[in-house]
Amino acid sequence: MMIRISQDVLCFIRNYYINITTLILATTLIQASLDYILLPKKEDFIFMNNFINESLQNMIKELSSDQQYILLKLSAANSISKLLSNTFLCGNILTMLHVLSTTDKNNQSFNIINIIQLAIPLFPKLLLLIFYTTLCMQLGLMIAIVPGILLAIIISLTPVMIITNNIPIMEAIRLSIKVSCRNIHLTTPPILLWFLIKTILILILIHYFHSWVFVVKILINTANNILSVIILIYLYRLYMIIRTV
């Protein structure tokens, strides 16, 4: 079944690559704009170049209070940027998938503007969901890697269920855990691959942190958005098949 779903994902991307590319570029633009507005000036965190090879704990101890504030601001700005952009991308991609699966695919009124208009009412719920799940996964990863990854796997279908079933967040999480555990062999491989590729991208970002920071971050964000779109399409198609079985 995984091969069949993967083929469906490739077919969907091939048929709607223009709309998908537009949403990815729009999301990347939003991320870049938020980063430019929220992130500290480059000269403000040049001091971090001296600590690239240091542990985070030792690094923080050696920072002044002003530098610690800059580091905190950097972390908060990065989190806000990811939260808002992920909500935008997730909402629009899932809305597009839902519209295409429930209406006439030849409908000429289908376009990006219509998709965004339909997705806007869902943004508050998705924003809260992504904030909650990201926080829980980060806490899980801080305790140990396995709990964080396991949590990501069992709640991976939550945004899909919110879009398709129009149910409350906690009900979607409960249902996602139930369905994901029952189909763990179908949800685990793509999530693990997603984590692996994201980790590699983060390592690349750290390696090039001292030069071309803004450009490298845009490239990493674009690649991450592409991966997110692929996994969202996979999960949506998986859930549609599961529902009919």
Side-chain angles (χ1 to χ4, degrees), residues 31-177:
Q31 287 176 304
S33 301
L34 290 172
D35 287 342
Y36 183 80
I37 295 171
L38 299 174
L39 290 180
K41 299 290 189 298
K42 183 176 180 180
E43 56 270 18
D44 289 337
F45 54 90
I46 280 181
F47 67 88
M48 293 183 67
N49 293 339
N50 299 325
F51 301 98
I52 293 300
N53 296 321
E54 298 287 337
S55 67
L56 180 61
Q57 186 176 6
N58 292 334
M59 171 183 161
I60 294 176
K61 287 181 179 179
E62 296 184 26
L63 296 180
S64 65
S65 57
D66 289 339
Q67 291 172 336
Q68 290 179 4
Y69 171 75
I70 292 172
L71 186 61
L72 178 62
K73 184 178 178 181
L74 177 66
S75 177
N78 189 58
S79 298
I80 293 172
S81 173
K82 285 184 177 180
L83 180 63
L84 295 177
S85 58
N86 287 343
T87 300
F88 177 84
L89 183 64
C90 180
N92 284 298
I93 289 295
L94 290 179
T95 299
M96 181 173 71
L97 287 163
H98 186 58
V99 168
L100 289 172
S101 64
T102 56
T103 59
D104 182 8
K105 295 179 176 59
N106 296 320
N107 188 351
Q108 297 300 317
S109 64
F110 171 77
N111 56 57
I112 291 297
I113 301 301
N114 290 339
I115 291 300
I116 294 176
Q117 290 175 343
L118 291 172
I120 287 176
L122 299 169
F123 285 169
K125 186 182 289 189
L126 287 175
L127 183 67
L128 183 60
L129 170 67
I130 293 174
F131 172 77
Y132 177 74
T133 54
T134 300
L135 180 62
C136 291
M137 283 190 290
Q138 290 298 327
L139 291 175
L141 290 172
M142 287 175 62
I143 297 172
I145 295 178
V146 175
I149 296 178
L150 179 61
L151 183 62
I153 293 172
I154 62 177
I155 64 175
S156 59
L157 291 171
T158 304
V160 176
M161 292 177 175
I162 287 178
I163 298 294
T164 56
N165 300 338
N166 193 25
I167 56 179
I169 293 176
M170 297 310 299
E171 176 65 17
I173 292 176
R174 185 194 64 79
L175 186 59
S176 175
I177 293 174

Side-chain angles (χ1 to χ4, degrees), residues 164-215:
T164 56
N165 300 338
N166 193 25
I167 56 179
I169 293 176
M170 297 310 299
E171 176 65 17
I173 292 176
R174 185 194 64 79
L175 186 59
S176 175
I177 293 174
K178 179 181 178 180
V179 175
S180 297
C181 289
R182 199 165 55 221
N183 299 273
I184 197 73
H185 61 292
L186 296 174
T187 54
T188 299
I191 298 296
L192 291 179
L193 182 61
W194 180 50
F195 265 104
L196 176 61
I197 298 176
K198 281 170 68 74
T199 301
I200 293 174
L201 292 176
I202 291 173
L203 292 175
I204 293 174
L205 177 61
I206 293 175
H207 180 73
Y208 291 103
F209 191 86
H210 60 281
S211 61
W212 305 324
V213 180
F214 196 69
V215 174

